[in-house]
Amino acid sequence: MSGQRVARAVVLAAGIGSRLDNGAATPKPLKPVEGVPLLVRVLRTLQSGGIRQAVVVVGFEGERVRQALLSEPSLELELELVQNPDYLRKNGVSLLSAAPFIDRECVLTMADHLYSPELLHRLLADDLPDGTCALAVDYNIERCFDLEDATKVLVSSHRIRRISKELEHYNAIDTGVFRIGPALLHELEQLKSNNGDCSLSEGVQRLSCAGRFFACDIGDARWIDVDTPLALERAEAMIRVFGDALGEPSRSPEMPASTWISAPPPFEDHFAAADPV
């Protein structure tokens, strides 16, 4: 799977996003984060990472999301919009809606996970055997903003062994960014056929049992799942501190340079200094 450059991404943007408490005013993918919609931020990151085509799966308020993307001048990607009529089901069903576009290796990402382009670069740099997939994982569990809601991962010998929000024993966190191919679709199709529904984690677990799902270490690349009002506040603080690319922090006038360099994650002092005036 590593013989050709990955140029296509699938973005899941179909859900209602009720935990973000955005009401009916704004669909979750269009929720502004420091003035830029979540989904637009994700697409800009993919664009900067070399992705040339993005397949966006929409559902709730799908036409509104479509119009917002088509009128966004900063996006130079080739956009394909796919409607998932069953958007109240699990996220695996949303991925199956994009099945015609997953005839090759693709990036898979969520519309509400913001991350540094460095995370994408690390994921795409890994060599993967044919017929396998990979998930970008964070081994720095302490810096996970909402550990209770996070999907936990048990990794051994660079392969995923178990994945679930309910895992008691784990050593990594799911960042919501994948490299996938037809193999994952095959597992999801079987799950949906048997159960009428399917989640990504269930599909990953099935491939993992066969040793075909790898874990990619994101190192110190930054990311956040913007799933609650508190997570939205943290995401905005991260952008104020680290910039749109969530890269190296800019020096604050209120802080000496040594403070910025030496402070450990999660950079709580920096976030306090980044509060809007």
Side-chain angles (χ1 to χ4, degrees), residues 10-16 55-63 65-66 80-101 192 196-200:
V10 178
V11 185
L12 301 188
I16 294 176
V55 181
V56 182
V57 181
V58 298
F60 178 69
E61 294 267 21
E63 184 57 29
V65 175
R66 176 193 300 269
E80 297 283 350
L81 281 295
V82 175
Q83 178 72 34
N84 171 21
D86 295 322
Y87 60 82
L88 294 179
R89 297 185 185 274
K90 297 176 182 178
N91 55 7
V93 175
S94 280
L95 184 58
L96 287 174
S97 299
F101 295 95
K192 187 171 183 286
D197 208 347
C198 57
S199 71
L200 287 176

Side-chain angles (χ1 to χ4, degrees), residues 15 28 81 83 153 167 196 202 231 259 277:
K28 184 178 182 181
L81 281 295
Q83 178 72 34
V153 187
L167 282 188
E202 291 168 336
T259 307
V277 177

Side-chain angles (χ1 to χ4, degrees), residues 68-194:
L69 292 184
L70 294 179
S71 62
E72 174 53 54
S74 68
L75 298 179
E76 300 175 356
L77 295 150
E78 176 189 342
L79 289 175
E80 297 283 350
L81 281 295
V82 175
Q83 178 72 34
N84 171 21
D86 295 322
Y87 60 82
L88 294 179
R89 297 185 185 274
K90 297 176 182 178
N91 55 7
V93 175
S94 280
L95 184 58
L96 287 174
S97 299
F101 295 95
I102 310 174
D103 58 348
R104 67 192 74 172
E105 187 179 11
C106 306
V107 170
L108 168 64
T109 183
M110 311 299 113
D112 57 356
H113 286 220
L114 300 182
Y115 46 91
S116 164
E118 176 62 21
L119 184 153
L120 188 61
H121 294 155
R122 286 174 178 265
L123 179 63
L124 294 180
D126 268 5
D127 287 331
L128 298 180
D130 288 341
T132 64
C133 301
L135 168 63
V137 301
D138 191 350
Y139 289 101
N140 190 344
I141 294 169
E142 277 189 6
R143 71 174 180 169
C144 179
F145 178 70
D146 188 356
L147 187 57
E148 182 177 353
D149 187 59
T151 299
K152 289 85 172 173
V153 187
L154 180 63
V155 181
S156 176
S157 300
H158 306 293
R159 285 178 168 84
I160 294 174
R161 302 305 179 185
R162 298 193 65 196
I163 179 169
S164 171
K165 287 190 176 185
E166 289 75 37
L167 282 188
E168 292 185 8
H169 303 289
Y170 56 93
N171 56 3
I173 301 296
D174 171 1
T175 68
V177 191
F178 303 75
R179 275 171 66 179
I180 65 165
L184 180 58
L185 285 190
H186 176 72
E187 301 299 335
L188 291 174
E189 286 166 352
Q190 288 194 332
L191 284 163
K192 187 171 183 286
S193 176
N194 294 336

Side-chain angles (χ1 to χ4, degrees), residues 40-62:
V40 172
R41 285 193 176 276
V42 170
L43 291 170
R44 287 179 181 176
T45 297
L46 293 171
Q47 187 170 276
S48 70
I51 298 299
R52 295 292 171 258
Q53 181 187 45
V55 181
V56 182
V57 181
V58 298
F60 178 69
E61 294 267 21

